[in-house]
Amino acid sequence: MNEDALSRILKAAGDTTRRKILTLLVQEGALRVTALSAHFDMSLNSVSKHIKVLEEAGLVTRRTVGREHFIAAELEPLQLTESWFRQLKSIWELRLAALEETLVSKDDDNG
């Protein structure tokens, strides 16, 4: 697993504004940067900085047509987070199964 990529993705997705940008892009498809910024009570420059973080994490792509910049969601990198969460879940499932086995065997010993 690429730990650096996972860290960038989690950092990017850890911010409310960036999650809202991703949600808008998934719901509406590719949008111009100016159209994205209209959804937020912040400057175009601030929205652009959030987009840059999402780009660095690989969660969005930029396509330039003339002077217009179109931003689109790129969800494939989220497979890293899904994989990591599956690993965590399987570890906890194993630990809970072991705990249950221990409690059942102690219950049997006391019975």
Side-chain angles (χ1 to χ4, degrees):
M1 177 176 298
N2 186 334
E3 294 293 328
D4 290 338
L6 179 61
S7 293
R8 283 191 303 274
I9 292 165
L10 292 173
K11 176 186 174 194
D15 180 83
T16 304
T17 300
R18 292 190 286 267
R19 286 193 307 271
K20 287 179 182 177
I21 289 170
L22 279 174
T23 300
L24 278 168
L25 293 172
V26 168
Q27 290 172 338
E28 299 184 23
L31 293 171
R32 293 186 336 247
V33 174
T34 52
L36 268 173
S37 68
H39 291 274
F40 300 94
D41 189 24
M42 62 179 66
S43 70
L44 178 61
N45 190 42
S46 294
V47 172
S48 292
K49 287 180 182 180
H50 284 291
I51 292 169
K52 178 99 171 130
V53 173
L54 291 167
E55 283 180 297
E56 290 170 356
L59 294 172
V60 299
T61 56
R62 180 186 302 258
R63 181 175 54 92
T64 306
V65 178
R67 294 177 58 186
E68 298 290 334
H69 293 249
F70 291 87
I71 307 300
E74 180 61 54
L75 300 180
E76 187 175 322
L78 292 177
Q79 291 177 5
L80 275 175
T81 57
E82 289 176 31
S83 173
W84 181 65
F85 280 114
R86 273 194 305 274
Q87 287 175 1
L88 288 179
K89 183 181 175 193
S90 67
I91 291 168
W92 274 103
E93 287 172 346
L94 289 171
R95 292 184 72 182
L96 288 172
L99 175 62
E100 181 179 21
E101 186 176 307
T102 300
L103 292 173
V104 166
S105 90
K106 285 188 181 203
D107 215 24
D108 290 345
D109 291 344
N110 292 332

